Amino acid sequence: MKTLVMRSYAKINICLNVTGKREDGYHTLDMIMVPLQLHDTLIISELRRATNNFVTIDDFSNGCIHYNLATAALEKFAAEVGFSNKFRVSIHKVLPMQAGLGGGSSNAGATILGINKYLKLGCSNEKMISVAKGLGADVPFFILNKPMRCTGIGDEMTPVIIKNNYYALIVKPSAGCGTRPIYEISDQMTLQTGDVDKVIEALENGDDDALADSIFNALQEPAFIKVPEIKTIIESLKKDGLKIVQMTGSGSAVFALSTDKNKLKQIAKKYEDKYFVEITRVIK
């Protein structure tokens, strides 16, 4: 039986502004999202004579997973494009849940890309992004998997140039941050704001000092309330000599960027016994 293997990449938010809240409950954002080589793996195969899709996940370390966006992606893509084929999607999880790394949204995006390739549908990126928009704010990003400035609810994208070849150290405490609870906390606070244009300029110029000074995440303070250990990790990584350090998304994972992979490897050893730790590379 024909199978297709797809990588489902992680992302980090190098900056994140919350600019408002819509009547439908979605928050409007201005942020830079960057894909990482760290990924889940999807194995896709067609189910002959089946009446339903079948999505399985091999990691239950974060509790029982009852649902993955890949299921919705299969159904929505079929409805909008007009195919009736049914599929098995087996997901090998590497990306932790409730980390701010985009795991579920990435799985949905990779599913759309995979089915388009499997069935040789020839759908354009624009068509696949249109499908992805109906699945979640981050899903369109995972159709392109390129550094982007994302506005609106995260679905309006403009390419961002990154000069340096960055490696990323990811450190996540055992406690996760659900997106909805963090935004609920944020709605009760006056949030930090930052200058996205300064972050873009620093990335384009390869200026690490300027990048360290300008990165920000408006959801960090709300996340500190939920999981205080996030702040401890950030402070510890900075004491270790890393400058570009921040929480990603709504947490709870923290990233540190550096062009020195060996330095990240040495620092990572300090955290491996206590936290989820990975070293990966930024996709440009």
Side-chain angles (χ1 to χ4, degrees):
M1 180 181 294
K2 175 185 172 183
T3 61
L4 177 67
V5 178
M6 296 292 296
R7 292 184 176 185
S8 178
Y9 295 104
K11 61 84 177 171
I12 53 174
N13 300 81
I14 294 184
C15 60
L16 190 158
N17 263 339
V18 179
T19 57
K21 186 177 180 180
R22 306 193 319 185
E23 289 185 2
D24 62 5
Y26 274 106
H27 289 77
T28 55
L29 307 166
D30 188 359
M31 58 187 177
I32 296 174
M33 291 206 294
V34 174
L36 304 177
Q37 287 184 344
L38 182 67
H39 62 274
D40 292 341
T41 301
L42 275 59
I43 302 173
I44 300 171
S45 58
E46 189 171 356
L47 293 173
R48 304 290 185 181
R49 298 180 296 278
T51 56
N52 292 295
N53 296 303
F54 191 47
V55 176
T56 59
I57 303 171
D58 67 0
D59 179 11
F60 293 89
S61 59
N62 289 293
C64 185
I65 301 171
H66 294 286
Y67 182 76
N68 184 280
L69 269 179
T71 302
L74 285 167
E75 294 169 355
K76 187 169 181 59
F77 198 26
E80 296 207 11
V81 177
F83 61 85
S84 59
N85 313 62
K86 302 300 180 183
F87 292 90
R88 177 192 297 273
V89 180
S90 301
I91 304 175
H92 169 58
K93 292 297 291 183
V94 172
L95 309 182
M97 295 174 62
Q98 297 188 339
L101 294 170
S105 295
S106 177
N107 293 163
T111 297
I112 294 170
L113 290 168
I115 299 303
N116 185 55
K117 185 175 182 180
Y118 193 103
L119 293 178
K120 299 179 181 178
L121 296 172
C123 291
S124 65
N125 285 340
E126 290 73 19
K127 176 59 179 177
M128 290 186 285
I129 287 170
S130 175
V131 175
K133 283 182 178 181
L135 295 167
D138 286 351
V139 182
F141 172 82
F142 291 107
I143 299 298
L144 300 177
N145 288 301
K146 295 287 185 181
M148 293 285 173
R149 182 176 189 168
C150 302
T151 53
I153 60 172
D155 59 340
E156 300 168 13
M157 298 178 287
T158 305
V160 172
I161 295 171
I162 301 178
K163 180 178 180 180
N164 290 342
N165 295 316
Y166 286 116
Y167 293 92
L169 168 62
I170 307 296
V171 181
K172 181 194 174 294
S174 57
C177 291
T179 301
R180 180 175 293 178
I182 297 304
Y183 275 104
E184 287 174 351
I185 294 171
S186 76
D187 287 339
Q188 309 304 314
M189 301 173 63
T190 300
L191 298 178
Q192 169 196 4
T193 59
D195 190 331
V196 180
D197 291 324
K198 284 187 177 180
V199 177
I200 291 173
E201 183 179 359
L203 289 169
E204 290 180 345
N205 293 334
D207 189 334
D208 284 358
D209 289 331
L211 184 60
D213 288 340
S214 57
I215 61 171
F216 61 92
N217 184 340
L219 297 178
Q220 270 194 174
E221 293 294 334
F224 291 166
I225 295 171
K226 184 76 172 177
V227 183
E229 204 167 4
I230 298 169
K231 186 175 183 180
T232 302
I233 293 170
I234 291 172
E235 292 173 347
S236 181
L237 288 170
K238 288 183 176 180
K239 286 180 182 177
D240 291 332
L242 296 171
K243 297 184 293 185
I244 308 168
V245 181
Q246 184 171 270
M247 185 187 81
T248 178
S250 56
S252 62
V254 174
F255 68 85
L257 297 181
S258 175
T259 56
D260 188 342
K261 186 177 182 181
N262 289 329
K263 182 177 182 179
L264 292 181
K265 283 184 175 180
Q266 289 300 314
I267 292 172
K269 294 176 182 177
K270 176 179 175 181
Y271 300 90
E272 287 174 345
D273 291 339
K274 190 174 182 181
Y275 302 118
F276 170 91
V277 175
E278 289 282 352
I279 294 175
T280 184
R281 191 165 191 167
V282 168
I283 296 173
K284 298 199 297 181

